[in-house]
Amino acid sequence: MAFTCCCLRKSQKNLSSVEEDTTLDLGQLKKFSWQELKVATDNFSNENILSRDGFGPFCKVYKGVLEDGSLVAIKRLKSERTPGREAQFQKVMETIAMAKHQNLLKLFGFCITPTERLLVYPFMANGSAASQLRDQRPSQPSLDWPIRKQIALGSAKGLSYLHEHCKPRIVHCDVKAANVFLDEDFQAYVGDFALCKLINFNKTQIICTVDGTIGHIAPEYLSNGRCSEKIDVYGYGIMLLELITGQKAFDLSRLSKDDDNVMLLDWVKRFVKENKLEMLVDPNLGNNYVEAEMEQLMQIALLCTQGSPENRPKMSEVVRMVEGVGLAERWENWQKMEISDQQMVPILNATCAQIFDSTHNLQAAELSGPR
């Protein structure tokens, strides 16, 4: 019995004696201790897991209750700390801490250990747009059309702020419905900046390691690591398609439905080409949507997901288009453009040119690159 108790005390001591970086200071961000966050999550109990990220078991988000009773979401990233990545991570967190916008998810604080990074955010009562679209119980109502439009506008405003009002500019690099969070009033907040990159104003792009979620990654980023604000524009376009269709950006289950388009963008283009837009609308909406508004969001999505980044609009232009300003002119001008054979040609009416697969302009070697 004495041996058992001794081992138990030793085990408990090891569990709570995680080495932390006590010297790190990230400006306005609060530095949490490992013990604080362990207590807040009931020792990172599985019952408190809110989501598992696309990075598998190495990234989980937990619901936590701080000592003062505040509800928080704690993102637990397990990774080895290398000098280059650590310097980039710290710079990004410092920049995010200074970013203030009503459609950006505020970062409260952090905890750093040799093998983990823990980021603390406010708890979002309605989870993410993705969870509302696809993880609701049958008895729970789906997102209605006005809320989907509200999410489209709010997330566009948040991204526009990152691109045009932050110094250095912030590229999110993983824009998707799962990274747009919803409060109790379904107001949208762009969050999860774990993969974002910083770009100085005197540069148009940087070349970097490709990170992101399959189905959301812009072709130029996937093929050669060219990172600019336009990869967020592409990701935003895919997110609009998620809002319209309710579907995932990459879904192998479509193969079981006699459909070879596992990519949402290609699946959408198939019905656009056949002029069957009604087939694209999330069945959970029924007929409770405004057809003209759906077509407008579809046009914006296709403008944002053009193969050439130079032809995609800026996020500030997207904001205006979602608000109903300038879309008709931009769409008309785009339809008149002379488009090369190597470029995608999405359309919304039968008089336009042929639609190509979204991977049409990538070579086999590029398609087998990192995802």
Side-chain angles (χ1 to χ4, degrees):
M1 177 67 71
F3 177 76
T4 302
C5 291
C6 178
C7 288
L8 180 60
R9 284 195 299 271
K10 184 176 180 180
S11 174
Q12 290 174 336
K13 180 179 179 182
N14 288 341
L15 184 64
S16 61
S17 60
V18 175
E19 182 184 351
E20 300 168 27
D21 189 334
T22 57
T23 63
L24 184 59
D25 182 9
L26 295 183
Q28 304 174 38
L29 294 179
K30 179 178 178 180
K31 187 187 303 180
F32 288 91
S33 71
W34 170 265
Q35 183 66 21
E36 280 182 281
L37 300 185
K38 185 167 77 91
V39 170
T41 58
D42 191 20
N43 195 21
F44 298 100
S45 167
N46 286 341
E47 294 182 1
N48 286 323
I49 293 178
L50 295 172
S51 67
R52 290 176 170 84
D53 206 301
F55 301 97
F58 300 104
C59 181
K60 298 177 182 177
V61 181
Y62 295 82
K63 182 178 180 179
V65 183
L66 299 180
E67 190 175 6
D68 64 1
S70 302
L71 287 176
V72 292
I74 300 169
K75 183 159 190 173
R76 188 181 185 187
L77 296 155
K78 292 187 178 181
S79 62
E80 293 297 327
R81 295 173 62 185
T82 61
R85 276 186 171 267
E86 195 60 26
Q88 171 72 5
F89 172 78
Q90 292 180 21
K91 180 64 176 177
V92 165
M93 291 303 102
E94 289 174 349
T95 305
I96 291 297
M98 293 186 290
K100 307 292 183 184
H101 190 274
Q102 62 183 358
N103 295 112
L104 295 181
L105 188 63
K106 181 178 174 61
L107 179 60
F108 280 163
F110 68 98
C111 174
I112 303 292
T113 78
T115 58
E116 298 193 46
R117 299 163 172 160
L118 296 98
L119 305 177
V120 183
Y121 296 94
F123 177 75
M124 292 282 106
N126 282 305
S128 70
S131 66
Q132 289 289 328
L133 287 169
R134 296 186 286 268
D135 299 333
Q136 296 294 81
R137 298 185 182 92
S139 59
Q140 294 177 290
S142 177
L143 291 176
D144 64 26
W145 183 251
I147 288 178
R148 296 185 197 216
K149 276 205 68 181
Q150 178 175 288
I151 293 170
L153 180 58
S155 53
K157 288 181 175 179
L159 291 170
S160 177
Y161 176 85
L162 292 177
H163 293 177
E164 299 181 28
H165 298 281
C166 291
K167 295 182 180 181
R169 307 192 311 276
I170 300 173
V171 180
H172 188 284
C173 293
D174 199 22
V175 178
K176 56 185 179 181
N179 284 338
V180 176
F181 300 92
L182 309 174
D183 66 12
E184 60 276 7
D185 297 318
F186 290 93
Q187 294 297 322
Y189 299 81
V190 177
D192 194 344
F193 298 93
L195 300 183
C196 71
K197 306 290 190 297
L198 306 180
I199 300 181
N200 292 327
F201 271 86
N202 61 348
K203 294 184 178 180
T204 58
Q205 64 181 21
I206 58 174
I207 305 298
C208 55
T209 302
V210 177
D211 292 309
T213 306
I214 188 168
H216 299 265
I217 305 174
E220 73 278 7
Y221 189 40
L222 178 64
S223 63
N224 54 32
R226 288 169 53 204
C227 177
S228 72
E229 294 98 326
K230 294 302 180 75
I231 72 171
D232 281 355
V233 177
Y234 184 95
Y236 175 84
I238 299 296
M239 190 205 71
L240 285 186
L241 298 181
E242 290 184 89
L243 290 174
I244 293 169
T245 67
Q247 298 203 28
K248 296 178 181 178
F250 175 81
D251 191 352
L252 290 173
S253 70
R254 281 194 280 268
L255 292 175
S256 64
K257 301 172 184 176
D258 298 323
D259 193 325
D260 59 357
N261 292 314
V262 295
M263 294 293 188
L264 178 59
L265 180 58
D266 298 328
W267 182 82
V268 164
K269 287 185 196 175
R270 169 192 160 193
F271 288 106
V272 168
K273 180 179 180 180
E274 297 171 359
N275 200 26
K276 296 179 179 178
L277 299 187
E278 70 282 356
M279 300 294 292
L280 298 173
V281 180
D282 187 348
N284 290 322
L285 283 170
N287 294 319
N288 299 315
Y289 66 95
V290 181
E291 185 176 349
E293 292 180 348
M294 183 276 290
E295 291 187 12
Q296 288 167 358
L297 288 188
M298 184 68 70
Q299 289 178 354
I300 295 170
L302 296 177
L303 287 172
C304 289
T305 52
Q306 294 178 81
S308 170
E310 291 78 15
N311 291 336
R312 297 172 206 151
K314 295 181 179 179
M315 283 309 306
S316 56
E317 295 177 284
V318 171
V319 170
R320 291 193 292 272
M321 289 190 288
V322 176
E323 291 176 328
V325 179
L327 173 59
E329 181 180 359
R330 175 107 191 187
W331 182 252
E332 183 180 357
N333 289 340
W334 176 77
Q335 286 181 312
K336 293 177 179 178
M337 286 169 49
E338 182 178 354
I339 304 176
S340 72
D341 290 338
Q342 294 298 309
Q343 200 171 4
M344 294 189 305
V345 189
I347 62 171
L348 270 184
N349 60 60
T351 63
C352 292
Q354 177 184 2
I355 294 181
F356 294 96
D357 184 278
S358 66
T359 56
H360 177 76
N361 60 343
L362 296 181
Q363 300 300 315
E366 297 172 329
L367 290 174
S368 62
R371 286 168 169 77

